[in-house]
Amino acid sequence: MAIVNKKSIKSKKAVALLLFLLYLGAISMVAQKTPHTYVAQNTTENITIDGKMDEPSWQKTSWSSNFIDIEGIKKPTYETKFKMLWDDKNIYFFAELKEPHVWGTLKQKDTIIFYNNDFEIFLDPDGDTHNYYEFEMNALNTIWDLYLSKPYRNNGHITDGWDFKGIKTAVQVNGTLNNASDIDEGWSVEIAIPWSFNTAPGGKPHVPKNESWRINFSRVNWDFDHKDGHYSRKKDSSGKFLPEYNWVWSPQEVINMHEPERWGYVYFNKDSNKTEFTIPADEYIKWYMYELYRNLKNENSDRKKWTLKNGQLQQEPKTIANEVIVAILEENNFGFDLWVKSPFTNNKLVIHTDGKFQTYHDKTN
């Protein structure tokens, strides 16, 4: 779900921030689990955005794995899964959300959609954890799209008025919307996002043929009350809303969608029979580096784990995919740089103090 600077959610943001800080103070560094992967197939078929998945291309392409609780432990109450396709103009999404009572109340674009049950997409095209995009929609086909310059931990700017230009969306309800007198099967969403959303002014859209993006999906679901023909989020005996359920495709391992380094990988397959994507070895180093980074950003972090060797602050050597790597910490007046020289590609992998990841290609050795 998104958190933006609106008066109506200041208290929610404050509580989330407090919980997040408590989490940071309590965790020890645990190796990140391997994120999920999905291969999105290319299509030449005309896809009609109607929420129905009638086209042969949709029928032939594979479903994702079922969503899991955001921390990767509990099985959700209701099943959620998605499919993806792409062509030279758009990236397409189809999702199926099982649910016995399909309801929605929010009808204004760019309102806080996760106050209803919703479906969410997060996109980080270059995988640097900065300049990423969030999309949400409810069963009324009301959408909220926004751009984030950095994750909340890095005090990024959130552009709430930003739009996916040319986006098309549709909802199909398998049952009756906002009717508590019957039992529904659920609802499905279909979305087409033009590649141009990720294009610099004056540039041309880059279609990631045979490339991968960091992407994740989330579903927010609420316990509800129904009174006088209206659905609403359920409250406890003190009048406070019960907490929402957060179900995701690739587990975040923490109740926070805004750690893009934990998102899954979607590979855009072109002209091959590829159905599986192998995550590059440098990504495994990257996950480890972000474990170190999150610990460094923790006010209670133990800098004693970094030792001075040969004039450099280092971690103890770490074995990743049968190769030994050493993480280096360079502190400066503006913060720090955390880097590793990859034994797999010979590249220098860097996380800057603001959390941005960069790869420096070194062909000299």
Side-chain angles (χ1 to χ4, degrees):
M1 70 180 70
I3 307 174
V4 296
N5 295 324
K6 292 185 176 181
K7 291 182 180 179
S8 59
I9 59 171
K10 281 185 177 180
S11 60
K12 184 179 180 71
K13 181 176 180 181
V15 172
L17 179 60
L18 176 61
L19 291 173
F20 184 54
L21 291 174
L22 289 173
Y23 155 76
L24 286 177
I27 61 169
S28 59
M29 287 192 299
V30 179
Q32 176 179 326
K33 295 180 181 178
T34 303
H36 292 180
T37 63
Y38 183 86
V39 177
Q41 303 296 345
N42 180 247
T43 182
T44 58
E45 186 177 16
N46 181 44
I47 304 296
T48 300
I49 305 303
D50 55 11
K52 296 181 180 180
M53 199 179 70
D54 290 334
E55 294 83 0
S57 293
W58 278 132
Q59 297 297 322
K60 290 188 295 184
T61 199
S62 62
W63 285 107
S64 70
S65 55
N66 288 334
F67 283 25
I68 188 69
D69 180 80
I70 193 169
E71 294 179 283
I73 301 172
K74 302 175 184 176
K75 182 179 178 180
T77 307
Y78 309 124
E79 181 181 289
T80 315
K81 56 187 176 181
F82 71 87
K83 292 184 175 187
M84 288 177 62
L85 291 168
W86 65 279
D87 58 24
D88 289 340
K89 294 181 179 180
N90 300 300
I91 177 173
Y92 301 98
F93 304 89
F94 187 93
E96 186 176 81
L97 300 85
K98 298 294 187 181
E99 188 169 9
H101 288 277
V102 181
W103 63 277
T105 61
L106 301 174
K107 299 179 181 180
Q108 181 180 342
K109 184 182 183 299
D110 289 337
T111 192
I112 306 165
I113 298 300
F114 65 78
Y115 282 173
N116 281 175
N117 295 344
D118 78 351
F119 178 73
E120 306 179 355
I121 305 172
F122 297 81
L123 303 162
D124 182 9
D126 58 10
D128 67 355
T129 77
H130 284 203
N131 303 313
Y132 63 94
Y133 309 86
E134 180 173 356
F135 169 86
E136 303 184 7
M137 67 185 297
N138 66 4
L140 289 167
N141 198 18
T142 308
I143 73 170
W144 184 17
D145 45 8
L146 56 158
Y147 161 86
L148 299 95
S149 65
K150 302 176 185 179
Y152 294 107
R153 66 187 175 200
N154 302 119
N155 301 312
H157 178 70
I158 298 92
T159 306
D160 188 28
W162 181 91
D163 294 320
F164 284 105
K165 301 296 184 184
I167 189 172
K168 295 180 180 179
T169 63
V171 172
Q172 182 73 20
V173 176
N174 194 350
T176 53
L177 181 65
N178 288 327
N179 184 351
S181 66
D182 64 357
I183 299 298
D184 308 316
E185 291 189 26
W187 51 297
S188 59
V189 303
E190 190 172 20
I191 304 158
I193 299 178
W195 294 113
S196 56
F197 82 90
N198 187 41
T199 305
K204 294 183 178 180
H206 172 69
V207 181
K209 299 177 182 179
N210 298 325
E211 298 174 12
S212 65
W213 280 10
R214 299 304 300 273
I215 296 179
N216 211 352
F217 301 83
S218 174
R219 175 182 178 179
V220 172
N221 224 79
W222 299 87
D223 290 320
F224 67 89
D225 280 321
H226 185 267
K227 185 178 181 180
D228 299 327
H230 298 284
Y231 285 90
S232 62
R233 290 181 290 156
K234 193 170 186 176
K235 297 180 179 179
D236 62 19
S237 58
S238 65
K240 294 181 180 179
F241 289 115
L242 295 176
E244 73 278 15
Y245 302 98
N246 294 280
W247 304 326
V248 304
W249 168 51
S250 191
Q252 291 289 111
E253 302 180 54
V254 60
I255 305 175
N256 182 4
M257 286 302 298
H258 295 274
E259 292 191 0
E261 67 271 15
R262 299 182 187 268
W263 295 352
Y265 294 80
V266 172
Y267 180 84
F268 297 94
N269 186 44
K270 175 71 172 176
D271 300 329
S272 78
N273 295 320
K274 190 181 186 76
T275 58
E276 300 289 338
F277 173 63
T278 301
I279 299 173
D282 275 6
E283 293 296 299
Y284 289 77
I285 299 177
K286 184 176 174 182
W287 307 335
Y288 167 62
M289 292 175 65
Y290 271 105
E291 291 171 12
L292 299 176
Y293 175 80
R294 291 191 295 267
N295 187 260
L296 286 167
K297 296 296 287 185
N298 179 4
E299 293 180 357
N300 299 318
S301 67
D302 185 3
R303 294 295 180 100
K304 293 180 181 179
K305 293 181 179 180
W306 295 86
T307 57
L308 189 63
K309 295 181 180 179
N310 301 320
Q312 294 178 319
L313 285 172
Q314 302 182 8
Q315 281 280 315
E316 289 298 316
K318 173 86 170 179
T319 300
I320 295 178
N322 298 320
E323 294 285 349
V324 176
I325 64 107
V326 176
I328 307 296
L329 180 65
E330 293 183 353
E331 298 182 299
N332 53 56
N333 291 334
F334 305 99
F336 61 83
D337 285 331
L338 169 64
W339 64 270
V340 167
K341 185 67 174 292
S342 169
F344 307 110
T345 60
N346 208 39
N347 293 330
K348 186 177 182 180
L349 312 179
V350 181
I351 300 177
H352 300 290
T353 194
D354 66 353
K356 184 180 178 66
F357 178 85
Q358 284 188 288
T359 299
Y360 295 89
H361 301 284
D362 185 356
K363 306 299 183 181
T364 60
N365 295 321

